[in-house]
């Protein structure tokens, strides 16, 4: 029996095993677009992204990584956020890129955000799962985490697992495992599709829209020239084999039963030739 979660703080091994302190946005990130719409604040501890009718904004990590655990605290655009998309994701570059996405699709005032997740490998995505949250993501900061290792990808919110994408490469399902990725974040206008399929447009009288980021931490393997891994021999590297224990499996089933609103594995209309092979195996190993 799965018990509904009332308390939002869960912390048990291995889901909360990383005590490394967050770094500075000055040290870890470069502003990638938007000019002064992106602002590093409080001595590098906080970062704000803004969107107006002329441009959004974004940032990216200075380093590339091949596997790791990536944590970011976000407070999303409050009020009428329809048409806006706030993101936190990993991506490689070029044709055949890999990507692991958290996207937060805004909505009209009083309606919930949609949490959109996706996994691309070798340029192919179409692995979407979407959720509504059990809290207001605009009222306070919450921690969004991507764990990426050679076995699986785990999406967590406040250390509660919401999705697992296992490595089914042996079954012919491409898995991101060889292309280094950077961390990206952005706030941009996508009112052609983001809110109720594009039916609700961005109300620019509410601009500028602002999302807040803080406490980025990468306990991860840096790659590239002159890179030293952020996971030293003394760091906790449980992310390299992290999976779900019995409690984690119960929690993800609760999330997916109570809060999932879309799962590509169940969309037979969109995939009339049959669902992908990973949908036929256990999701929560």
């Amino acid at each position: 029996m799965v018990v509904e979660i009332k308390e939002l703080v869960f912390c048990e091994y291995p889901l909360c095993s990383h005590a490394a302190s967050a770094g500075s946005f000055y040290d870890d990130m470069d502003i990638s677009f938007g000019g002064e719409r992106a602002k590093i604040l409080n001595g590098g501890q906080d970062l704000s992204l803004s969107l107006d009718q002329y441009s959004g904004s974004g940032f990216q990590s200075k380093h590339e990584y091949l596997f790791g655990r990536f944590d970011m605290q976000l407070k999303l655009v409050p009020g009428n956020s329809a048409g806006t998309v706030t993101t936190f994701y990993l991506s490689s570059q070029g044709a055949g890129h890999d990507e692991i996405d958290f996207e937060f699709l805004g909505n009209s005032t009083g309606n919930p955000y949609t949490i959109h997740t996706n996994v691309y490998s070798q340029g192919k995505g179409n692995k979407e799962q979407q959720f509504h949250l059990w809290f207001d993501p605009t009222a306070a900061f919450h921690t969004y985490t991507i764990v990426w290792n050679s076995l699986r990808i785990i999406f967590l919110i406040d250390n509660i697992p919401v999705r697992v994408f296992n490595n089914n490469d042996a079954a012919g399902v491409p898995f991101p495992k060889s292309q280094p990725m950077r961390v990206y974040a952005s706030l941009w206008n996508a009112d052609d599709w983001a809110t109720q399929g594009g039916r609700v447009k961005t109300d620019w009288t509410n601009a500028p829209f602002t999302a807040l980021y803080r406490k980025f931490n990468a306990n991860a393997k840096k790659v590239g020239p002159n890179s030293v891994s952020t996971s030293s021999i003394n760091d906790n590297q449980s992310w390299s084999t992290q999976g779900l224990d019995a409690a984690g499996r119960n929690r993800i089933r609760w999330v997916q039963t109570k809060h999932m609103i879309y799962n590509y594995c169940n969309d037979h209309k969109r995939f009339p030739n049959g669902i992908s092979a990973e949908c036929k195996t256990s999701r929560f190993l």
Side-chain angles (χ1 to χ4, degrees), residues 214-226:
R214 72 179 188 186
K215 295 188 177 178
F216 169 69
N217 186 59
N219 190 352
K221 180 182 177 183
K222 284 182 187 174
V223 297
N226 304 316

Side-chain angles (χ1 to χ4, degrees), residues 14-167:
L15 294 181
C16 291
S17 57
H18 300 274
S21 61
S24 164
F25 282 111
Y26 285 121
D27 295 335
D28 295 330
M29 300 294 175
D30 290 320
I31 304 303
S32 53
F33 73 99
E36 293 184 355
R37 295 172 185 83
K39 294 177 179 164
I40 298 176
L41 308 167
N42 299 328
Q45 296 306 300
D46 303 308
L47 194 154
S48 69
L49 294 181
S50 293
L51 164 70
D52 58 32
Q53 56 266 52
Y54 303 105
S55 178
S57 51
F59 60 91
Q60 67 183 52
S61 63
K62 294 178 184 292
H63 301 288
E64 292 182 302
Y65 306 92
L66 187 63
F67 304 132
R69 176 181 172 124
F70 306 87
D71 300 280
M72 185 81 79
Q73 290 194 356
L74 282 79
K75 185 191 288 186
L76 300 181
V77 174
N80 184 359
S81 58
T84 70
V85 176
T86 308
T87 70
F88 165 51
Y89 64 103
L90 308 178
S91 183
S92 63
Q93 295 297 305
H97 81 293
D98 294 342
E99 186 170 321
I100 304 169
D101 292 338
F102 263 125
E103 295 186 312
F104 308 91
L105 313 185
N107 213 332
S108 50
T109 302
N111 292 305
Y113 264 80
T114 294
I115 309 305
H116 178 96
T117 66
N118 201 358
V119 176
Y120 287 79
S121 184
Q122 301 173 28
K124 297 179 180 178
N126 298 327
K127 309 290 186 185
E128 302 93 342
Q129 290 184 355
Q130 295 183 339
F131 308 85
H132 285 159
L133 292 170
W134 50 95
F135 56 84
D136 179 357
T138 73
F141 284 94
H142 292 268
T143 303
Y144 302 88
T145 301
I146 296 169
V147 173
W148 170 40
N149 59 43
S150 62
L151 303 173
R152 62 188 61 87
I153 296 161
I154 309 173
F155 297 80
L156 304 105
I157 300 175
D158 291 334
N159 284 309
I160 299 170
V162 300
R163 178 179 185 180
V164 174
F165 186 82
N166 290 305
N167 185 345

